[in-house]
Amino acid sequence: MVDNSQSQCHIFQEALLNPSTFCISWEQVPGRGAFEKQHQAILEASERAAKGGRVHAISITDGPGGSPAIASTMLGAEIKRKGVEPLVHFALRDANRIAIESLFYGLNSAGVCNLLVISGDFPARDGYDGQAGRVFDLDPTQVLQLIKRMNEGLQYEVMGKTRTLTPTNFFAGVAVSPFKKLEAEVIGQYYKLENKIRAGARFIISQIGFDARKMQEPILWLKQNGHDVPMLANIYVLSYPTARLMNANKIPGCVVTDKLVTQLEAESQAPDKGVAARLLRAAKLYAVARGLGYKGAHIGGHNLSYDNVEYIIDKGEELYPRWQELIPEFEYPQKDGFYLYAKDEKSGLNTGEFAPRPMPVKKPFILRFSRLTHRLFFQPGTLAFKINRRMAAWTDHIVGLKRVFERVESQGKGVLYECLRCGDCSLPDMAYICPVSQCPKGKRLGPCGGSYEGWCEVYPNERQCVWVRVYERLKAYHEEDKIKAFTTPPRNWELWQTSSWFNYFLGRDHTAKRLGIEPPDKVSPKKSGNSQPGTQLKKETAPACAQAKCAHDCPVKGT
Ligand code: SF4
């Protein structure tokens, strides 16, 4: 048995969980190539940080922008050997669940424990010989569930026997983007965060933004929802060129308003091209973040030296006692931007009372038609459901006949929802919008962090983010809370290119499992009192919501 004590890392974790410590992580952005200057610079920065002792973790991004870069997982192990803890960003863009689990074993056995689990930016076009394929097999919420089981000692079946692995000791966190513009985007981020915390997120890092009132929002939300999860503020040392890229939405998830760009342009006229001004801005933001209740600062920026990091910490600590005076310097609201809480005119921050949610709702015909069809033919406990389930059980093994049904389904759903026949349908969870064909990252569990002004990260100003559309539709039925109601399990690829209707009625897909619809062969005829196996549902399997006579595809009331 390998001794896992050497993989003990606690500095970052303890700093975050210790109320008297303000935790510091310093972000490094690896580039392309194995032996490039950037790689060397990151190792030197890690050595400096190890010697300096003010930084609790060196944080390594994972292919920002979706471009190839030296793997954060490998670099993490190297940085650990430099004497400072790594915080490895782990994007889910390029690896399926097998690769993810395998990389985790490699990481932990190399002494790397701190992970920031993110969806990651969509693959860029500059991969080897062009546009890379996307993976996104798992969602951060599902990866957190995997990590939880690995930390408990993952169990798996071998030759009918259950084996339990030595527990790992990951300390995993997530990101949140409070700086979104639209109501649907903002609420979507908090629904998603709720799911991630429920799945075991141990810390949170905010996305890049400079509006103090927005910075306060997640801290208030955590408090109001009783979530004692430490949060690090993203303290980004923003240069004028980078500000212009973020302002033009060229770096997914980061928000820089016109007002801030204008200020940086003026500062860039200075002899030092604005270096002193942006370092001071970062130190002030550090002080504000500390005052707002953040547990740490995630410091980043282009060409930042260790001395710069120390300056930000020292100046930030110096300014912290009068952080409220600095609030007016961080007023960067987006035009018609949505805030979760009402404004406190006196402090310039939030009152803690929810702000009105004026976003108009959408009840397109396709949605009303789909909900009605679902209630008529798919709702457990109804006669139609029993007949369809019996038909499905009967035809399941008659290949020719089954193919006819499959054809009807795929043609119909192809026209209505651009169905790609994944076999594990999410339409009922997502207000009849198909994540496989509509979301470039295939997000079944709430939004990624990349949308901008409601537009999809991958199709800016062309396609709305699917989760903005889902929110608008669910809100029409006061069901928007459904987005946080349950954690959809990882997609079952075994069902790929099979009939989702059959999989649903015969208890094979994730919705059936959530609703307690069991495969016919699992239902004992005696219990159902019907000699025909597989045609009856056990009374108790009918979902709570069905008993509560609410819409089958509305599990909110059941949870
Ligand atoms: S549709 Fe939304 S969730 Fe999907 S990739 Fe685009 S921005 Fe992200």
Side-chain angles (χ1 to χ4, degrees), residues 158-182:
V158 189
M159 322 259 255
K161 284 211 184 71
T162 302
R163 269 208 62 201
T164 305
L165 293 170
T166 311
T168 53
N169 69 325
F170 283 112
F171 182 63
V174 293
V176 67
S177 294
F179 302 99
K180 296 290 180 191
K181 179 173 180 176
L182 303 189

PDB file of all heavy atoms in Angstrom, residues 158-182:
ATOM      1  N   VAL A 158     -15.187  -5.468  -8.673  1.00  0.00           N
ATOM      2  CA  VAL A 158     -14.264  -6.289  -9.472  1.00  0.00           C
ATOM      3  C   VAL A 158     -14.691  -7.749  -9.299  1.00  0.00           C
ATOM      4  O   VAL A 158     -14.750  -8.241  -8.169  1.00  0.00           O
ATOM      5  CB  VAL A 158     -12.797  -6.184  -8.956  1.00  0.00           C
ATOM      6  CG1 VAL A 158     -11.869  -6.860  -9.947  1.00  0.00           C
ATOM      7  CG2 VAL A 158     -12.411  -4.772  -8.681  1.00  0.00           C
ATOM      8  N   MET A 159     -15.059  -8.385 -10.395  1.00  0.00           N
ATOM      9  CA  MET A 159     -15.448  -9.803 -10.341  1.00  0.00           C
ATOM     10  C   MET A 159     -16.489 -10.021  -9.244  1.00  0.00           C
ATOM     11  O   MET A 159     -16.347 -10.895  -8.380  1.00  0.00           O
ATOM     12  CB  MET A 159     -14.219 -10.676 -10.050  1.00  0.00           C
ATOM     13  CG  MET A 159     -13.006 -10.173 -10.738  1.00  0.00           C
ATOM     14  SD  MET A 159     -12.660 -11.101 -12.209  1.00  0.00           S
ATOM     15  CE  MET A 159     -11.281 -11.985 -11.466  1.00  0.00           C
ATOM     16  N   GLY A 160     -17.473  -9.100  -9.201  1.00  0.00           N
ATOM     17  CA  GLY A 160     -18.585  -9.302  -8.263  1.00  0.00           C
ATOM     18  C   GLY A 160     -18.224  -8.958  -6.829  1.00  0.00           C
ATOM     19  O   GLY A 160     -19.041  -9.043  -5.918  1.00  0.00           O
ATOM     20  N   LYS A 161     -16.986  -8.558  -6.629  1.00  0.00           N
ATOM     21  CA  LYS A 161     -16.580  -8.160  -5.255  1.00  0.00           C
ATOM     22  C   LYS A 161     -16.411  -6.645  -5.218  1.00  0.00           C
ATOM     23  O   LYS A 161     -15.985  -6.051  -6.211  1.00  0.00           O
ATOM     24  CB  LYS A 161     -15.230  -8.812  -4.890  1.00  0.00           C
ATOM     25  CG  LYS A 161     -15.314 -10.297  -4.544  1.00  0.00           C
ATOM     26  CD  LYS A 161     -14.199 -10.626  -3.503  1.00  0.00           C
ATOM     27  CE  LYS A 161     -14.175 -12.124  -3.196  1.00  0.00           C
ATOM     28  NZ  LYS A 161     -13.634 -12.870  -4.388  1.00  0.00           N
ATOM     29  N   THR A 162     -16.730  -6.029  -4.084  1.00  0.00           N
ATOM     30  CA  THR A 162     -16.559  -4.578  -3.935  1.00  0.00           C
ATOM     31  C   THR A 162     -15.174  -4.285  -3.371  1.00  0.00           C
ATOM     32  O   THR A 162     -14.794  -4.868  -2.355  1.00  0.00           O
ATOM     33  CB  THR A 162     -17.622  -3.993  -2.986  1.00  0.00           C
ATOM     34  OG1 THR A 162     -18.900  -4.314  -3.508  1.00  0.00           O
ATOM     35  CG2 THR A 162     -17.485  -2.475  -2.877  1.00  0.00           C
ATOM     36  N   ARG A 163     -14.443  -3.472  -4.104  1.00  0.00           N
ATOM     37  CA  ARG A 163     -13.100  -3.074  -3.615  1.00  0.00           C
ATOM     38  C   ARG A 163     -13.169  -1.613  -3.155  1.00  0.00           C
ATOM     39  O   ARG A 163     -13.880  -0.821  -3.748  1.00  0.00           O
ATOM     40  CB  ARG A 163     -12.081  -3.182  -4.745  1.00  0.00           C
ATOM     41  CG  ARG A 163     -11.395  -4.535  -4.830  1.00  0.00           C
ATOM     42  CD  ARG A 163     -10.009  -4.428  -5.429  1.00  0.00           C
ATOM     43  NE  ARG A 163      -9.130  -3.588  -4.594  1.00  0.00           N
ATOM     44  CZ  ARG A 163      -8.034  -3.014  -5.086  1.00  0.00           C
ATOM     45  NH1 ARG A 163      -7.739  -3.158  -6.366  1.00  0.00           N
ATOM     46  NH2 ARG A 163      -7.263  -2.282  -4.297  1.00  0.00           N
ATOM     47  N   THR A 164     -12.460  -1.271  -2.083  1.00  0.00           N
ATOM     48  CA  THR A 164     -12.428   0.118  -1.601  1.00  0.00           C
ATOM     49  C   THR A 164     -11.004   0.647  -1.699  1.00  0.00           C
ATOM     50  O   THR A 164     -10.072   0.022  -1.181  1.00  0.00           O
ATOM     51  CB  THR A 164     -12.902   0.191  -0.132  1.00  0.00           C
ATOM     52  OG1 THR A 164     -14.175  -0.418  -0.052  1.00  0.00           O
ATOM     53  CG2 THR A 164     -12.985   1.632   0.341  1.00  0.00           C
ATOM     54  N   LEU A 165     -10.829   1.754  -2.379  1.00  0.00           N
ATOM     55  CA  LEU A 165      -9.492   2.324  -2.577  1.00  0.00           C
ATOM     56  C   LEU A 165      -9.072   3.160  -1.367  1.00  0.00           C
ATOM     57  O   LEU A 165      -9.921   3.645  -0.621  1.00  0.00           O
ATOM     58  CB  LEU A 165      -9.488   3.209  -3.820  1.00  0.00           C
ATOM     59  CG  LEU A 165      -9.690   2.492  -5.146  1.00  0.00           C
ATOM     60  CD1 LEU A 165      -9.912   3.487  -6.273  1.00  0.00           C
ATOM     61  CD2 LEU A 165      -8.504   1.579  -5.459  1.00  0.00           C
ATOM     62  N   THR A 166      -7.761   3.336  -1.204  1.00  0.00           N
ATOM     63  CA  THR A 166      -7.256   4.209  -0.148  1.00  0.00           C
ATOM     64  C   THR A 166      -7.803   5.613  -0.377  1.00  0.00           C
ATOM     65  O   THR A 166      -7.762   6.099  -1.508  1.00  0.00           O
ATOM     66  CB  THR A 166      -5.712   4.262  -0.210  1.00  0.00           C
ATOM     67  OG1 THR A 166      -5.228   2.935  -0.278  1.00  0.00           O
ATOM     68  CG2 THR A 166      -5.142   5.019   0.971  1.00  0.00           C
ATOM     69  N   PRO A 167      -8.353   6.244   0.643  1.00  0.00           N
ATOM     70  CA  PRO A 167      -8.919   7.590   0.439  1.00  0.00           C
ATOM     71  C   PRO A 167      -7.883   8.578  -0.079  1.00  0.00           C
ATOM     72  O   PRO A 167      -6.713   8.516   0.282  1.00  0.00           O
ATOM     73  CB  PRO A 167      -9.398   7.989   1.842  1.00  0.00           C
ATOM     74  CG  PRO A 167      -9.571   6.714   2.563  1.00  0.00           C
ATOM     75  CD  PRO A 167      -8.508   5.784   2.009  1.00  0.00           C
ATOM     76  N   THR A 168      -8.332   9.440  -0.946  1.00  0.00           N
ATOM     77  CA  THR A 168      -7.485  10.563  -1.373  1.00  0.00           C
ATOM     78  C   THR A 168      -7.758  11.711  -0.409  1.00  0.00           C
ATOM     79  O   THR A 168      -8.600  11.608   0.472  1.00  0.00           O
ATOM     80  CB  THR A 168      -7.880  10.991  -2.803  1.00  0.00           C
ATOM     81  OG1 THR A 168      -9.299  11.228  -2.814  1.00  0.00           O
ATOM     82  CG2 THR A 168      -7.529   9.918  -3.825  1.00  0.00           C
ATOM     83  N   ASN A 169      -7.066  12.814  -0.591  1.00  0.00           N
ATOM     84  CA  ASN A 169      -7.338  13.928   0.322  1.00  0.00           C
ATOM     85  C   ASN A 169      -7.350  15.237  -0.448  1.00  0.00           C
ATOM     86  O   ASN A 169      -6.570  16.151  -0.217  1.00  0.00           O
ATOM     87  CB  ASN A 169      -6.328  13.967   1.461  1.00  0.00           C
ATOM     88  CG  ASN A 169      -4.967  14.340   0.957  1.00  0.00           C
ATOM     89  OD1 ASN A 169      -4.594  13.971  -0.135  1.00  0.00           O
ATOM     90  ND2 ASN A 169      -4.259  15.119   1.745  1.00  0.00           N
ATOM     91  N   PHE A 170      -8.283  15.312  -1.395  1.00  0.00           N
ATOM     92  CA  PHE A 170      -8.400  16.530  -2.192  1.00  0.00           C
ATOM     93  C   PHE A 170      -9.140  17.616  -1.411  1.00  0.00           C
ATOM     94  O   PHE A 170     -10.051  17.326  -0.629  1.00  0.00           O
ATOM     95  CB  PHE A 170      -9.147  16.239  -3.493  1.00  0.00           C
ATOM     96  CG  PHE A 170      -8.295  15.546  -4.526  1.00  0.00           C
ATOM     97  CD1 PHE A 170      -8.564  14.243  -4.897  1.00  0.00           C
ATOM     98  CD2 PHE A 170      -7.213  16.198  -5.092  1.00  0.00           C
ATOM     99  CE1 PHE A 170      -7.776  13.610  -5.844  1.00  0.00           C
ATOM    100  CE2 PHE A 170      -6.419  15.572  -6.034  1.00  0.00           C
ATOM    101  CZ  PHE A 170      -6.703  14.277  -6.416  1.00  0.00           C
ATOM    102  N   PHE A 171      -8.726  18.845  -1.661  1.00  0.00           N
ATOM    103  CA  PHE A 171      -9.414  20.020  -1.110  1.00  0.00           C
ATOM    104  C   PHE A 171      -9.870  20.784  -2.343  1.00  0.00           C
ATOM    105  O   PHE A 171      -9.077  21.460  -2.994  1.00  0.00           O
ATOM    106  CB  PHE A 171      -8.441  20.835  -0.262  1.00  0.00           C
ATOM    107  CG  PHE A 171      -9.042  22.053   0.395  1.00  0.00           C
ATOM    108  CD1 PHE A 171     -10.061  21.913   1.337  1.00  0.00           C
ATOM    109  CD2 PHE A 171      -8.593  23.327   0.078  1.00  0.00           C
ATOM    110  CE1 PHE A 171     -10.613  23.030   1.947  1.00  0.00           C
ATOM    111  CE2 PHE A 171      -9.138  24.455   0.690  1.00  0.00           C
ATOM    112  CZ  PHE A 171     -10.157  24.299   1.619  1.00  0.00           C
ATOM    113  N   ALA A 172     -11.135  20.603  -2.705  1.00  0.00           N
ATOM    114  CA  ALA A 172     -11.601  21.089  -4.007  1.00  0.00           C
ATOM    115  C   ALA A 172     -12.571  22.245  -3.887  1.00  0.00           C
ATOM    116  O   ALA A 172     -13.454  22.266  -3.020  1.00  0.00           O
ATOM    117  CB  ALA A 172     -12.266  19.944  -4.765  1.00  0.00           C
ATOM    118  N   GLY A 173     -12.380  23.209  -4.777  1.00  0.00           N
ATOM    119  CA  GLY A 173     -13.244  24.382  -4.786  1.00  0.00           C
ATOM    120  C   GLY A 173     -13.764  24.676  -6.178  1.00  0.00           C
ATOM    121  O   GLY A 173     -13.429  23.969  -7.141  1.00  0.00           O
ATOM    122  N   VAL A 174     -14.562  25.733  -6.279  1.00  0.00           N
ATOM    123  CA  VAL A 174     -15.214  26.084  -7.533  1.00  0.00           C
ATOM    124  C   VAL A 174     -15.150  27.579  -7.778  1.00  0.00           C
ATOM    125  O   VAL A 174     -14.749  28.348  -6.905  1.00  0.00           O
ATOM    126  CB  VAL A 174     -16.692  25.641  -7.492  1.00  0.00           C
ATOM    127  CG1 VAL A 174     -16.807  24.127  -7.453  1.00  0.00           C
ATOM    128  CG2 VAL A 174     -17.433  26.290  -6.332  1.00  0.00           C
ATOM    129  N   ALA A 175     -15.596  27.963  -8.955  1.00  0.00           N
ATOM    130  CA  ALA A 175     -15.636  29.383  -9.304  1.00  0.00           C
ATOM    131  C   ALA A 175     -17.086  29.838  -9.425  1.00  0.00           C
ATOM    132  O   ALA A 175     -17.980  29.019  -9.623  1.00  0.00           O
ATOM    133  CB  ALA A 175     -14.911  29.605 -10.630  1.00  0.00           C
ATOM    134  N   VAL A 176     -17.316  31.142  -9.253  1.00  0.00           N
ATOM    135  CA  VAL A 176     -18.651  31.714  -9.476  1.00  0.00           C
ATOM    136  C   VAL A 176     -18.464  33.073 -10.150  1.00  0.00           C
ATOM    137  O   VAL A 176     -17.459  33.746  -9.919  1.00  0.00           O
ATOM    138  CB  VAL A 176     -19.440  31.884  -8.156  1.00  0.00           C
ATOM    139  CG1 VAL A 176     -18.813  32.940  -7.259  1.00  0.00           C
ATOM    140  CG2 VAL A 176     -20.901  32.209  -8.445  1.00  0.00           C
ATOM    141  N   SER A 177     -19.417  33.426 -11.011  1.00  0.00           N
ATOM    142  CA  SER A 177     -19.332  34.709 -11.731  1.00  0.00           C
ATOM    143  C   SER A 177     -20.467  35.637 -11.305  1.00  0.00           C
ATOM    144  O   SER A 177     -21.510  35.666 -11.957  1.00  0.00           O
ATOM    145  CB  SER A 177     -19.451  34.477 -13.234  1.00  0.00           C
ATOM    146  OG  SER A 177     -18.388  33.772 -13.732  1.00  0.00           O
ATOM    147  N   PRO A 178     -20.268  36.406 -10.211  1.00  0.00           N
ATOM    148  CA  PRO A 178     -21.355  37.299  -9.806  1.00  0.00           C
ATOM    149  C   PRO A 178     -21.521  38.496 -10.740  1.00  0.00           C
ATOM    150  O   PRO A 178     -22.553  39.165 -10.736  1.00  0.00           O
ATOM    151  CB  PRO A 178     -20.914  37.777  -8.416  1.00  0.00           C
ATOM    152  CG  PRO A 178     -19.435  37.601  -8.382  1.00  0.00           C
ATOM    153  CD  PRO A 178     -19.101  36.484  -9.324  1.00  0.00           C
ATOM    154  N   PHE A 179     -20.522  38.753 -11.610  1.00  0.00           N
ATOM    155  CA  PHE A 179     -20.521  39.992 -12.409  1.00  0.00           C
ATOM    156  C   PHE A 179     -21.325  39.863 -13.693  1.00  0.00           C
ATOM    157  O   PHE A 179     -20.993  40.478 -14.708  1.00  0.00           O
ATOM    158  CB  PHE A 179     -19.081  40.391 -12.716  1.00  0.00           C
ATOM    159  CG  PHE A 179     -18.243  40.592 -11.489  1.00  0.00           C
ATOM    160  CD1 PHE A 179     -17.400  39.581 -11.049  1.00  0.00           C
ATOM    161  CD2 PHE A 179     -18.330  41.747 -10.745  1.00  0.00           C
ATOM    162  CE1 PHE A 179     -16.643  39.726  -9.898  1.00  0.00           C
ATOM    163  CE2 PHE A 179     -17.582  41.914  -9.588  1.00  0.00           C
ATOM    164  CZ  PHE A 179     -16.742  40.896  -9.160  1.00  0.00           C
ATOM    165  N   LYS A 180     -22.358  39.050 -13.682  1.00  0.00           N
ATOM    166  CA  LYS A 180     -23.174  38.871 -14.879  1.00  0.00           C
ATOM    167  C   LYS A 180     -24.151  40.042 -15.001  1.00  0.00           C
ATOM    168  O   LYS A 180     -24.489  40.686 -14.011  1.00  0.00           O
ATOM    169  CB  LYS A 180     -23.928  37.548 -14.809  1.00  0.00           C
ATOM    170  CG  LYS A 180     -23.039  36.324 -14.803  1.00  0.00           C
ATOM    171  CD  LYS A 180     -22.365  36.115 -16.124  1.00  0.00           C
ATOM    172  CE  LYS A 180     -21.482  34.898 -16.141  1.00  0.00           C
ATOM    173  NZ  LYS A 180     -20.627  34.827 -17.338  1.00  0.00           N
ATOM    174  N   LYS A 181     -24.665  40.244 -16.237  1.00  0.00           N
ATOM    175  CA  LYS A 181     -25.544  41.407 -16.457  1.00  0.00           C
ATOM    176  C   LYS A 181     -27.015  41.069 -16.267  1.00  0.00           C
ATOM    177  O   LYS A 181     -27.756  41.793 -15.605  1.00  0.00           O
ATOM    178  CB  LYS A 181     -25.328  41.953 -17.868  1.00  0.00           C
ATOM    179  CG  LYS A 181     -26.215  43.129 -18.197  1.00  0.00           C
ATOM    180  CD  LYS A 181     -25.883  43.746 -19.517  1.00  0.00           C
ATOM    181  CE  LYS A 181     -26.818  44.923 -19.796  1.00  0.00           C
ATOM    182  NZ  LYS A 181     -26.470  45.630 -21.034  1.00  0.00           N
ATOM    183  N   LEU A 182     -27.464  39.928 -16.847  1.00  0.00           N
ATOM    184  CA  LEU A 182     -28.896  39.628 -16.867  1.00  0.00           C
ATOM    185  C   LEU A 182     -29.345  38.881 -15.613  1.00  0.00           C
ATOM    186  O   LEU A 182     -28.581  38.095 -15.037  1.00  0.00           O
ATOM    187  CB  LEU A 182     -29.251  38.777 -18.091  1.00  0.00           C
ATOM    188  CG  LEU A 182     -28.915  39.320 -19.465  1.00  0.00           C
ATOM    189  CD1 LEU A 182     -29.544  38.431 -20.536  1.00  0.00           C
ATOM    190  CD2 LEU A 182     -29.353  40.758 -19.629  1.00  0.00           C
TER     191      LEU A 182
END
